[in-house]
Amino acid sequence: MQSLLTKKHRQMNDDNLIPLINIVFLMLIFFLVAGHITARDHALFTAPESSQQTKLQESDVTILLAADESLWINNQRVIGDLAFHLRALHLPPQARVILKVDATHKASVLDPLLAALQSLGVQRLKLVTVAQKS
Amino acid sequence: VLEYRAKPLRISLTPLIDVVFILLLFFMLASTFYQWQQMTLSSVAKGKPAISEKFPKQIFVQGGNVVRHNGVVYTLEDAAFNSLLNQFFHEQVILLVTAETPATVQDVVAVMDSIIAAGIENVSLTRSFDER
């Protein structure tokens, strides 16, 4: 009798879990569908807001100038001459270069980046932005 | 004759919810909701327009939605600035955008946005300009 009661009690507990599991499943589906998993940047950076609706395309090189002014090439911390590090990558002129620059930086921080890329013959590059908040 | 009556199989929900919770935690921590976009930048060297540029026009970004062209100061919301951009569009000019010292990256992007929205395609970013 005792074991029967315990079993019944356990079954009842499991039944109580069903609404919980429903909600957890719904949350799981939401994160699966709405989110996307990408490699995280190694440093904090706030992208400038833009009204352009062009989706970010694949790139060969990603240059990140983070909020703390640290410089990263393909998620590797770089110290010293940017042009030297870029030359080591042996980029062809048609290389797709993506620039991630913190929105709060002075525009003059782009100068050495642009100069280094020009010295390699890379003319067109993409600046990463986010959708403008309405 | 022995009669075999199969007991109804009842799966315990506890291991299932354990796994689902772990999956949920993983997706909550690993997912991002950013919709990255891109803006194409073409750059020319400081004070050195490209060979094809016959009569490039230059816009100086002063920061805080303020721009300057030919000594006249505009804000991005000015109707005069929009008509200037329309004029540039119809003349099919090559436009050079130069950031002055106080301008931030966000200011430059805002100006580039206005220019691209006006339909101007030949726009290049020149290196920063310090009047001092």
Side-chain angles (χ1 to χ4, degrees):
Chain A
M1 189 65 184
Q2 181 65 37
S3 73
L4 266 176
L5 273 177
T6 318
K7 201 174 176 184
K8 206 172 178 182
H9 186 71
R10 202 183 325 134
Q11 279 179 2
M12 222 171 75
N13 274 351
D14 268 9
D15 288 347
N16 287 343
L17 283 178
I18 291 170
L20 172 69
I21 209 164
N22 282 345
I23 290 166
V24 172
F25 259 121
L26 282 175
M27 285 173 74
L28 182 63
I29 290 165
F30 169 76
F31 280 101
L32 272 166
V33 174
H36 47 262
I37 297 171
T38 49
R40 281 176 187 259
D41 295 317
H42 285 49
L44 279 177
F45 127 90
T46 312
E49 292 178 9
S50 164
S51 57
Q52 299 299 305
Q53 299 288 320
T54 319
K55 264 187 104 176
L56 185 65
Q57 292 163 359
E58 292 288 306
S59 68
D60 300 312
V61 181
T62 303
I63 301 170
L64 166 67
L65 185 59
D68 60 358
E69 299 199 2
S70 59
L71 192 63
W72 304 73
I73 299 177
N74 289 339
N75 270 336
Q76 300 266 323
R77 179 78 193 266
V78 164
I79 296 166
D81 185 20
L82 174 69
F84 169 77
H85 292 286
L86 285 174
R87 262 196 298 278
L89 296 172
H90 303 292
L91 286 177
Q94 66 273 17
R96 294 165 298 179
V97 178
I98 278 182
L99 267 183
K100 289 180 171 180
V101 183
D102 195 88
T104 56
H105 279 316
K106 290 264 191 284
S108 56
V109 298
L110 291 171
D111 293 355
L113 295 175
L114 296 177
L117 291 166
Q118 268 173 0
S119 70
L120 295 172
V122 177
Q123 280 292 316
R124 296 184 77 82
L125 57 149
K126 315 286 184 189
L127 182 72
V128 174
T129 59
V130 284
Q132 215 160 24
K133 288 172 195 142
S134 52
Chain B
V1 178
L2 283 172
E3 221 175 283
Y4 177 74
R5 288 182 66 190
K7 283 181 185 171
L9 185 68
R10 187 169 175 93
I11 303 167
S12 173
L13 287 178
T14 313
L16 173 69
I17 205 160
D18 281 349
V19 173
V20 173
F21 259 124
I22 288 168
L23 282 171
L24 180 64
L25 269 179
F26 170 76
F27 282 103
M28 277 174 78
L29 296 175
S31 296
T32 53
F33 293 91
Y34 281 118
Q35 292 289 333
W36 294 123
Q37 297 174 353
Q38 65 179 31
M39 172 179 275
T40 303
L41 295 181
S42 67
S43 65
V44 294
K46 192 175 189 173
K48 198 172 79 177
I51 299 160
S52 62
E53 293 170 14
K54 290 176 188 167
F55 303 107
K57 305 279 187 188
Q58 197 160 19
I59 287 181
F60 294 94
V61 184
Q62 295 189 318
N65 281 357
V66 177
V67 293
R68 184 166 56 85
H69 172 69
N70 276 350
V72 183
V73 175
Y74 306 89
T75 64
L76 294 186
E77 294 81 24
D78 275 352
F81 181 64
N82 288 321
S83 60
L84 181 74
L85 290 180
N86 271 334
Q87 186 194 327
F88 288 161
F89 171 69
H90 290 298
E91 290 173 2
Q92 294 187 328
V93 296
I94 290 135
L95 206 52
L96 304 179
V97 175
T98 308
E100 289 181 347
T101 309
T104 61
V105 174
Q106 179 62 69
D107 295 327
V108 172
V109 169
V111 173
M112 297 284 278
D113 262 354
S114 304
I115 292 167
I116 294 166
I120 300 165
E121 286 172 357
N122 291 323
V123 51
S124 295
L125 188 66
T126 63
R127 290 199 228 143
S128 297
F129 179 79
D130 192 348
E131 281 181 310
R132 285 173 296 174

